Amino acid sequence: MNDDPASPDTPGSFALLPGAVHSPVILHVPHSSRQIPAPVRDGILLDDTSLEDELDHITDAHTAELASEAAEAAGLRPWRFVNRLSRLVVDPERFPDEREEMLAVGMGAVYTRTTHRAPLRPAGADPRPLIDRYFHSYARAMTEAVTDRLAATGRAVIIDVHSYPTARLPYELHGDGPRPPVCLGTDSFHTPPELVALAEKAFAGLGGVGIDSPFSGAYVPLRYYEREPEVTALMVEIRRDTYMKEPGGPVGPGFPRLAAALTTLVDAVDEWTRSVGTPGR
C-alpha cells in the first residue's frame, strides 16, 4: 500500500509481459496484487489491521507467481497480463455499470463492501474517478493485447488465473454449491467444449475438477464479448488450500504440482489451436 506507482497508462498499474510471437495464449492475472496507491487508501474506511485482513481474504495470493512459472516452463511461452494493483482499487473483471450482479453485495467495479459485507468505503462514495483513472485504461490495454494475438495468430485464448477460499465467504452470491480443488468457469459463447476438456485433463491429478461452481464465467474484453468466436476464454479457480496456507500465507507443497498442471494446459492449448488451424488463412 505504497504511493501511486505510476500513471494508469504505464506498467505500474498493469503489465503485459510478452510471450512467443506465435502463441495465442494470454494468462490473465487480475487479482494477485495487494498494492493500493496512497490516495486510494485514503478513501477506505478500514484501519490498517482490518485492511490487511481484508487483503488476505480478497487477494488471489501467489497467482502471478503461478502464471510466471507456467510461462517459463511452457514449450511456447504464453503472454501474461498482470494487474499490479489490488482489486480493492478497481476490479477490472466487473462490468462498470448496472449489468454487474455483484453490485447487490457492494462489489461492483469499485467495492463499497468487504468480503464479510462490512462497509469498505463511505456511503455515497462516487466510483467514477477510480473507474476513469484505473478501470478504463486496464480495459483498453487488455483489449489491445487480445487484438494483437488475433492479428498475429488468428486466435486469442484467455486463461484467467484465480484462486478462492476453502470456506464460503459472506459476499459470495453462488457459494452454496461444490468447492472442488479446481473450478473451471465457462462462458456459453467463448468457452468451447474442447478447451474445457483440455483443462479437465491438465488438472485431473489435483484431486478433482468442477465446472462453474462456486464461480462461473470467463473474462473477455467488451469489444469482443459475444461478438468474436475466435476469442476463447476459460477461468481457472484454484482452491487455496491446495497450494497455500490460508487466508494469506505462504505457498505450500502443492504449488509445484499446480504450476506443472497449468503448464500442461498452456501447452495443450497451443497444440489444439495449431491443430484446428488459423481462421481465414
Side-chain angles (χ1 to χ4, degrees), residues 115-266:
T115 51
H116 290 75
R117 305 184 75 162
L120 180 72
R121 289 183 165 89
D126 185 358
R128 288 175 296 182
L130 292 177
I131 290 173
D132 290 343
R133 184 169 188 187
Y134 295 107
F135 184 95
H136 292 311
S137 58
Y138 189 105
R140 283 194 300 270
M142 185 62 182
T143 300
E144 290 168 2
V146 170
T147 301
D148 183 68
R149 291 301 84 215
L150 284 171
T153 73
R155 300 181 185 276
V157 183
I158 303 167
I159 300 176
D160 219 13
V161 184
H162 291 261
S163 70
Y164 76 99
T166 304
R168 179 180 183 174
L169 289 171
Y171 83 93
E172 296 180 24
L173 290 178
H174 310 290
D176 53 352
R179 303 180 81 85
V182 177
C183 162
L184 303 177
T186 68
D187 178 88
S188 60
F189 187 93
H190 291 282
T191 310
E194 296 89 345
L195 182 54
V196 174
L198 292 175
E200 288 179 318
K201 183 176 180 180
F203 293 111
L206 297 179
V209 180
I211 308 296
D212 290 327
S213 176
F215 299 100
S216 63
Y219 175 79
V220 173
L222 289 177
R223 179 187 297 176
Y224 297 111
Y225 184 61
E226 296 186 343
R227 296 179 182 179
E228 177 51 77
E230 306 309 334
V231 176
T232 55
L234 180 74
M235 179 169 66
V236 177
E237 288 271 4
I238 304 124
R239 203 178 66 207
R240 291 174 188 158
D241 66 328
T242 65
Y243 75 95
M244 64 173 283
K245 181 177 175 59
E246 294 184 86
V251 296
F255 185 84
R257 287 196 307 139
L258 183 58
L262 184 58
T263 303
T264 297
L265 175 59
V266 171

Side-chain angles (χ1 to χ4, degrees), residues 71-82:
E72 289 290 333
L76 193 66
R77 182 189 291 268
W79 296 65
R80 284 176 288 150
F81 196 102
V82 181

